[in-house]
């Protein structure tokens, strides 16, 4: 072995930036999730905003019982994201679980690890997105079974929306939901849209809906709000980013509603 070089210690440490990136978004996703990370890389991550991911245990099929089992893992998942450092927002990326666990319960679990952090779920972001358009009459498209779809209908009805059409596809496995082609989602949106509805909500973070949203809006002639698009928009606005991104749908051109 050749002689090792002399190792020198720099006497003065370089100055440190306050943060490597100005803003931080924490993302809690299912162990089986194929879609949310790529979507947040496209829509949220930038030279200014970092996205930091933790995965939590989840096992198919997508039933209310299995979805509810994720609740105990939320605090531990949040704690793994930049431990002891503040975040500007934390998103829990599961729409159907947000319904069966509850937005408030999810917020409590995450804030147990990250006190006072703004928490975003796809359901609360979806409601905010629909409110940003000022619509009440909606159609909903989901990949779920009837058992998982019913609580979703109740969630939006309880928040004052008039659901004129609700379509589900009967899938039980979120990994298969992720394999539905964006072009197929455009056709499904056209079929799911009630003629009297003012907007379409496309539920499920497994769906590649963000890649299809502009096509869906063109097909139905009305606004489309999808789970990942809505959470990305909500997180961007919480980070102070008001930049319009029409390539991800008309929602991405709007401010976050007040209140």
């Amino acid at each position: 072995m050749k002689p090792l070089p002399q190792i020198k210690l720099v006497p003065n440490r370089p100055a440190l930036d306050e943060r490597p990136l100005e803003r931080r978004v924490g993302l809690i996703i299912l162990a089986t999730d194929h879609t949310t990370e790529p979507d947040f890389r496209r829509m949220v991550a930038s030279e200014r905003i970092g996205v930091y991911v933790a995965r939590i245990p989840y096992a198919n099929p997508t039933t209310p019982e299995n979805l509810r089992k994720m609740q105990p893992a939320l605090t531990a998942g949040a704690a793994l994201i930049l431990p002891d450092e503040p975040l500007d927002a934390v998103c829990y990326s599961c729409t159907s679980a947000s319904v069966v666990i509850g937005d408030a319960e999810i917020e409590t679990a995450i804030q147990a690890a990250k006190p006072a952090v703004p928490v975003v779920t796809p359901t609360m972001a979806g409601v905010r997105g629909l409110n940003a358009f000022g619509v009440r009459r909606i159609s909903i498209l989901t990949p779920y079974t009837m058992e998982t779809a019913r609580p979703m209908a109740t969630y939006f009805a309880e928040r004052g929306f008039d659901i004129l059409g609700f379509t589900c596809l009967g899938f039980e496995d979120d990994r298969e939901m992720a394999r539905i082609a964006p072009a197929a989602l455009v056709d499904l949106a056209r079929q799911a849209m009630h003629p009297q509805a003012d907007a379409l909500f496309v539920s499920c973070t497994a769906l590649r809906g963000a890649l299809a949203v502009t096509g869906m809006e063109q097909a139905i002639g009305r606004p489309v709000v999808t789970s990942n698009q809505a959470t990305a928009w909500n997180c961007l606005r919480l980070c102070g980013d008001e930049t319009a991104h029409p390539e991800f749908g008309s929602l991405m051109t709007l401010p976050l509603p007040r209140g």
Side-chain angles (χ1 to χ4, degrees), residues 55-66:
R55 287 180 177 258
I56 60 173
Y58 175 71
N60 282 292
T62 301
T63 62
E65 180 183 7
N66 281 348

Side-chain angles (χ1 to χ4, degrees), residues 153-190:
T154 300
Y155 179 95
F156 281 91
E158 288 178 345
R159 283 151 184 81
F161 294 98
D162 187 4
I163 304 172
L164 302 186
F166 196 114
T167 302
C168 60
L169 306 179
F171 282 78
E172 292 186 329
D173 192 317
D174 69 320
R175 295 164 298 183
E176 291 183 344
M177 298 173 197
R179 290 164 54 192
I180 300 172
L185 293 175
V186 174
D187 291 334
L188 289 164
R190 189 182 291 110

